[in-house]
């Protein structure tokens, strides 16, 4: 494990990383020098894993997606079991996940809906206090793709301000409702001082895109390792989710020997925060700890690490919108 | 196993508990004193598991959900295979589950639809005779969220009366059709002398809420460990259901070392009562018997145990409706 | 294995049974005397398994359910890949299953649509030649629940006649399209000399019901162990189907020690006849061969064995239609 | 492995085959002479496996199927996350699969949409450079079943020409959008000099059909081992897909001892090219390498090998359209 301490982590500013080697992995230590020297990441990682922990509960509009929304009640009629299903995210889900991250010393990125933090400020503060990144997710649980530039700017800024007041953290990363950006979103985010957004599925590594001629980081998000897609939407059982994570990890870790690779995982308060899902995630974390140079990181730290790294790809696929 | 006998079970009145330690678990006995003394439950449990066994067959309205209801027949045309599918619950399902509970000395809570008991009184009596709790589920298989206060009161009371006449047990626990309460439900239940309801998904432990200023117990129900949701609705195979149960158990049992934790499981006569599901459930029961201080309990016993316990959370999230 | 040879199989007329004990099972031989003497079946079985092998391909109407029917083409436009998907049942599916049954000396019941046999007479004959039961499934792939008594009688009789002419076997068992009988179906079947029907899901054993005052056998069918429901409809993978079969078998076999139990399995030419499903079924057969006194039987043989057995339940749940 | 070298591979012209025996399989070598001499394939294979790797990304029309298309945006509004999801196929998916095929020296058939190759010519060239077959998939991602003869001919020819200009390979194999041919498709393909098409699901081996009195090869395609059907459509997890492949392989390989058998697998750039799916596929390839005489082949090579082989079935099921 010597090589890791030789890495220029001090130069990385606020970058927090965690790297563990299990006993089993220690036998491979002799090859670590070689491996690490080939790393495509400034911190020597063979694979960077980043978890998004969405905190949205309390911000949901009437009739928001739930196990009950398939047969909606008439407008104005409270759907009490659906509301109780959402409260689970604030009562149990986030806290259970925070316990898991703490146990394994993992720092995650939490996308916080403004109205969720207003409804449950103690939950938002607990996330921040745990050393996790507070990222923005809009002032409300609402469509963003159909807003005017001015409305979108207000929508994003209000969310940042509200959450900063509660948590003390000013967001530099953004996640749109259902990933659906407007053509203006990146310009709006840049104007507000954001460093990166995550609503892109085109690569297994972060890249830089030019927005008004300046660098903006695009962080890969995931539908594949996403609890709301696979568990709430596609009705996967936890063992299926765990199997997906392991297959994805095995492949990306192997590729990480020669390419810069990042694995993105997404958990939502009321879905990923259930006992079975957290248990599956713990099994996955243990599984990844068998390998050396796997680093779980916050997305702001990743963004800072790659934005000026010449190895970071430049991709202007959406340049028509960003100038 | 000594510690269990030292527990103040006598003080718990009608509370029936079952606690078994497998041989494998016995090696852990040395730590049980410590564990039990840390229990958050009055009976020393590390985890309380409660099974709901819905008895609804015979009460279903025309066109009720079945494998055939996706392509409904014209009104008035009998859907004979669908009706035979329902009869399975009374012919086979409930009896098979009763055999399972008996084999492992588990007492469950059975939510009985009034018209189901009227159609199959011998089934309702067999449940009661097995030492299980007879809980209420309405006089009929019908929406409850859209009833007036008076109609809802009659709907609930008729169900209780009909089933009491057949089984000799007066229900103190309630479950609404598809969990969908009206804003008046808790007041109606309190007026009728109920002790608890289960149509809440917000916590992994029971809590108390104030209804007209008096304590009312809210027992956690489940969609996650629910045969009608996962097997009939989401088409899980039995191995998926078993895997879900094990993942959930492992997590909640671990948490139970320091928090009060309860696991809820739901089986319906015609779905959970099929051979493969009962077999999966038996495998789960055996799995839980490997651990010490896992207690399967009726929900009325749980409610009585927690209602005056100061460790029980007070949660008035719905107070706007309950005063 | 002595006890098996002592069973009065000779008295069972045309009843064909197969019973195998694996080496593993032989260790249990000492208890077989006891077990068999407790058998609820006249042939000493602890569990009877019966496979239905539907032969329908070639009889399907335009737009019949297929992987393509979700986005139908305009009427009259041939859906060529859908048609090729159906042809698979006649080209590969039935023959592959016949090879499997032959390898394990299993006789099944094949429900043959009249127009399918007309389109592929060589397939229908191959089934009959394999020693399998040719049962009726209507002259065409069409709704039966909405026909008049006279039309239904013609519909059933034409199917029997056409298939008898091709295969030499006159059907005594019936299966309706999607199990959906009319209220007259049992009377129609009785008038035509049928012995049993299978469109009932209410029990895990055959029973007798009175039709016009005479006994008629109702053979349990299955949606649980049914390829068209679980694989084509619910998109199960073969390992899920295999797991379902094993869970169901384990439970019913255990129950068979004290109750009469039957397990029903359904395979359709173009679905269950695919390589992965036949392979899964072979694994299941091997699994069942580990146990003693498991008998795979044709449904006509089962019907003959139970119709006059006093242990067979009498169930007149549908008597309003059958007099 | 001697027997393999004795096979008349030289006579097969451009036929490229790969055959590997694992150490485990070597113990079976003594029986290989027998096995191979019984082979139904000219190259001695016991089972031929052919992978289709669709390259379509960049050619998709607005609103094409994606995880977002279930709730479409208004016409003209760019669906940015959906577009980024598609770009994944060109950025990561194809290259990851090419690495896998190279690692195991497997040559596949790539069905290339003309506009995809125009958008990403470097991807199309990388496929061709890897020794894979460039097959046609239309000039655009569009319905083909509803085109006139003349329009269909242009649609197919434009696709061939565009892709040939980019890759240097002229397609001889065809795959329609969603397999949906018009009644004229085979005549169109023959007029353009094609050797085979794959939009048929009726057999587990290639066959010959007469088109205008001349032989045309029909290559079996698959919905069963198809990522877009099972993973994108039916939401299978990678372990389910892997299990399906293994069950199918085990059965077809066993049948291959006495019959000509072919296994078809389909991967699409943005679906099968994800890390978990490629990892699952690698596990499958390793699994098949345990057996002798398993050959992964391009479909053009298979077509050339079988077209004049008398053992190849002649099937004129669609002759009404092909004359």
């Amino acid at each position: 494990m010597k090589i890791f301490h030789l890495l220029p982590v001090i130069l990385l500013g606020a970058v927090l990383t965690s790297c563990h080697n299990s006993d089993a992995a220690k036998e491979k230590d002799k090859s670590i020098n070689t491996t690490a020297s080939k790393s495509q990441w400034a911190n020597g990682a063979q694979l960077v894993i980043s978890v998004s922990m969405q905190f949205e509960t309390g911000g949901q509009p009437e009739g928001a997606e739930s196990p009950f929304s398939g047969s909606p009640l008439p407008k104005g009629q409270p759907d009490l079991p659906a509301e109780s299903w959402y409260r689970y995210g604030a009562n149990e889900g986030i806290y259970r996940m925070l316990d898991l991250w703490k146990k394994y010393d993992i720092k995650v990125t939490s996308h916080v809906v403004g109205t969720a933090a207003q409804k449950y400020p103690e939950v938002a503060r607990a996330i921040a206090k745990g050393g996790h990144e507070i990222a923005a997710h809009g002032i409300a649980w609402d469509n963003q793709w159909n807003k005017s530039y001015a409305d979108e700017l207000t929508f994003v800024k209000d969310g940042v301000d509200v959450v900063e007041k509660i948590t003390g953290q000013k967001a530099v990363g953004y996640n749109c409702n259902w990933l659906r950006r407007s053509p203006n979103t990146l310009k709006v985010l840049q104007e507000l001082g954001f460093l990166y957004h995550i609503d892109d599925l085109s690569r297994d590594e972060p890249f830089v895109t030019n927005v008004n001629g300046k660098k903006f980081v695009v962080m890969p998000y995931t539908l594949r390792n996403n609890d709301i897609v696979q568990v709430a939407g596609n009705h996967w059982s936890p063992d299926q989710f765990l199997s997906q994570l392991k297959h994805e990890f095995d492949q990306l870790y192997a590729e990480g020997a020669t390419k810069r690779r990042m694995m993105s995982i997404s958990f939502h308060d009321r879905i990923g925060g259930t006992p079975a899902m957290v248990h599956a995630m713990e099994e996955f974390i243990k599984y990844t700890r068998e390998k050396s140079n796997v680093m779980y990181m916050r997305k702001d730290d990743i963004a800072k690490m790659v934005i000026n790294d010449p190895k970071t790809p430049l991709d202007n696929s959406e340049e028509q919108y960003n100038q």
Side-chain angles (χ1 to χ4, degrees), chain A:
Chain A
M1 285 312 298
K2 284 169 206 156
I3 193 65
F4 182 62
H5 296 293
L6 296 176
L7 290 171
V9 280
I10 296 158
L11 305 180
L12 296 173
V15 176
L16 300 166
T17 61
S18 58
C19 176
H20 303 249
N21 276 296
S22 71
D23 286 350
K26 279 180 187 159
E27 297 171 22
K28 300 176 191 158
D29 267 7
K30 287 165 195 166
S31 64
I32 284 188
N33 270 288
T34 330
T35 306
S37 65
K38 278 194 271 178
S39 174
Q40 307 295 312
W41 295 92
N43 64 359
Q46 177 157 351
L47 180 66
V48 168
I49 301 179
S50 183
V51 178
S52 284
M53 178 176 71
Q54 269 79 356
F55 175 38
E56 303 170 334
T57 278
Q60 76 277 8
E62 188 183 336
E65 279 193 44
S66 83
F68 301 89
S69 53
S71 53
L73 294 183
K75 220 178 160 182
Q77 177 79 26
D79 194 342
L80 297 171
E83 291 182 13
S84 79
W85 181 79
Y86 269 104
R87 283 200 298 275
Y88 187 90
N91 288 342
E92 303 275 0
I94 292 288
Y95 293 114
R96 176 174 288 123
M97 288 191 277
L98 287 175
D99 286 347
L100 179 66
W101 314 140
K102 189 175 180 183
K103 181 172 177 184
Y104 292 91
D105 193 22
I106 288 172
K107 306 304 176 192
V108 307
T109 294
S110 187
H111 311 269
V112 179
V113 170
T115 48
Q118 287 177 312
K119 173 89 177 174
Y120 298 105
E122 70 285 6
V123 176
R125 276 191 288 266
I127 299 170
K129 204 178 152 188
H132 304 289
E133 176 191 1
I134 300 291
H137 202 17
I139 179 62
W141 179 315
D142 197 10
N143 286 334
Q144 189 162 332
W145 57 266
N146 57 357
K147 293 200 186 331
S148 70
Y149 191 102
D151 286 351
E152 189 173 357
L153 192 135
T154 305
F155 181 86
V156 174
K157 186 174 188 312
D158 286 356
V160 173
D161 291 349
V162 154
V163 176
E164 184 182 10
K165 197 174 288 181
I166 291 166
T167 66
Q169 276 196 40
K170 186 169 156 59
V172 299
Y174 201 75
N175 174 215
C176 279
N177 187 277
W178 270 109
L179 295 81
R180 272 177 159 162
R181 290 172 279 136
S182 84
N184 293 321
T185 300
L186 268 54
K187 287 176 283 189
V188 164
L189 294 176
Q190 196 186 58
E191 180 175 341
L192 290 169
F194 276 83
L195 179 61
Y196 74 92
H197 85 109
I198 68 166
D199 298 319
D200 187 282
L201 302 160
S202 69
R203 292 183 183 274
D204 292 318
E205 63 182 314
F207 61 90
V208 164
T209 199
N210 289 326
V211 179
N212 284 323
K214 285 185 288 183
K215 287 179 180 175
F216 194 80
V217 179
V218 184
M219 197 62 65
Y221 194 49
T222 180
L223 301 182
R224 305 187 300 259
N225 311 320
N226 187 321
D227 64 342
I228 204 169
V229 173
Q230 306 289 25
V231 175
N234 295 340
H235 309 309
W236 279 11
S237 45
D239 53 341
Q240 290 183 285
F241 195 81
L242 177 57
S243 163
Q244 160 69 26
L245 293 184
K246 286 181 176 176
H247 274 287
E248 175 125 352
F249 171 80
D250 286 347
Q251 179 69 24
L252 289 177
Y253 184 78
E255 293 179 8
T258 55
K259 284 187 198 173
R260 186 185 283 180
R261 303 280 76 183
M262 171 177 160
M263 179 174 175
S264 183
I265 300 172
S266 173
F267 272 68
H268 293 70
D269 47 45
R270 63 223 169 266
I271 301 164
T274 54
M277 284 297 288
V278 166
H279 189 260
M281 185 65 194
E282 180 163 3
E283 288 193 26
F284 175 68
I285 294 169
K286 287 179 190 165
Y287 184 77
T288 64
R289 290 281 156 95
E290 303 279 322
K291 303 286 185 180
S292 54
N293 295 321
V294 175
M295 302 195 192
Y296 286 85
M297 294 178 70
R298 295 164 42 147
K299 290 183 177 63
D300 55 351
D301 294 333
I302 301 171
K304 288 171 195 157
M305 181 166 66
V306 302
I307 191 165
N308 292 314
D309 185 328
K311 286 181 177 170
T312 305
L314 175 70
D315 180 337
N316 286 316
S317 299
E318 297 180 358
E319 65 178 344
Q320 60 178 313
Y321 305 119
N322 296 328
Q323 49 198 2

